[in-house]
Amino acid sequence: MDEPELNANIQGLRAQLDEVDREIVQTLNKRALLVQELAAIKGEAGVALYDPEREEEILQRVAEENAGPIYDATMREIFEIIMHRIRDLESHR
């Protein structure tokens, strides 16, 4: 592969990564909005916001649906961080 072709391939892959990053940001914000809606409903009903059983269900499902190449344990860790950080939004409402 010559240098211009290599550079074109690199630029093409970077453009795809940029698009995936945009999609991830949009999806995370969509998830955060849904969590905020759920928190409002739970708050009005007097239901506890944090449900460790539900969180574990989500983490198990994420690992089961993971087709790789990210390891299941790593995917769980990623989602634990996502859920924890989004849960932080509940306390800033």
Side-chain angles (χ1 to χ4, degrees), residues 16-32:
Q16 290 179 54
L17 286 169
D18 290 346
E19 179 57 29
V20 169
D21 290 345
R22 275 189 288 280
E23 292 171 5
I24 291 170
V25 168
Q26 291 171 353
T27 301
L28 287 173
N29 280 307
K30 181 177 179 180
R31 189 182 202 291

Side-chain angles (χ1 to χ4, degrees), residues 14-83:
R14 286 179 176 167
Q16 290 179 54
L17 286 169
D18 290 346
E19 179 57 29
V20 169
D21 290 345
R22 275 189 288 280
E23 292 171 5
I24 291 170
V25 168
Q26 291 171 353
T27 301
L28 287 173
N29 280 307
K30 181 177 179 180
R31 189 182 202 291
L33 289 170
L34 291 169
V35 168
Q36 286 180 324
E37 286 182 45
L38 184 59
I41 291 169
K42 285 181 161 185
E44 290 173 11
V47 176
L49 297 179
Y50 178 63
D51 182 348
E53 290 179 14
R54 172 68 176 149
E55 185 170 298
E56 184 55 34
E57 288 173 15
I58 293 167
L59 295 172
Q60 286 179 4
R61 186 183 66 245
V62 163
E64 290 168 4
E65 293 176 356
N66 180 37
I70 298 173
Y71 296 119
D72 290 350
T74 303
M75 189 65 76
R76 282 180 61 105
E77 289 174 7
I78 291 168
F79 268 78
E80 285 173 345
I81 292 168
I82 290 169
M83 290 187 295

Side-chain angles (χ1 to χ4, degrees), residues 28 31-32 35 81-90:
L28 287 173
R31 189 182 202 291
V35 168
I81 292 168
I82 290 169
M83 290 187 295
H84 178 77
R85 293 297 177 221
I86 290 176
R87 194 167 45 245
D88 288 347
L89 294 173
E90 294 174 357

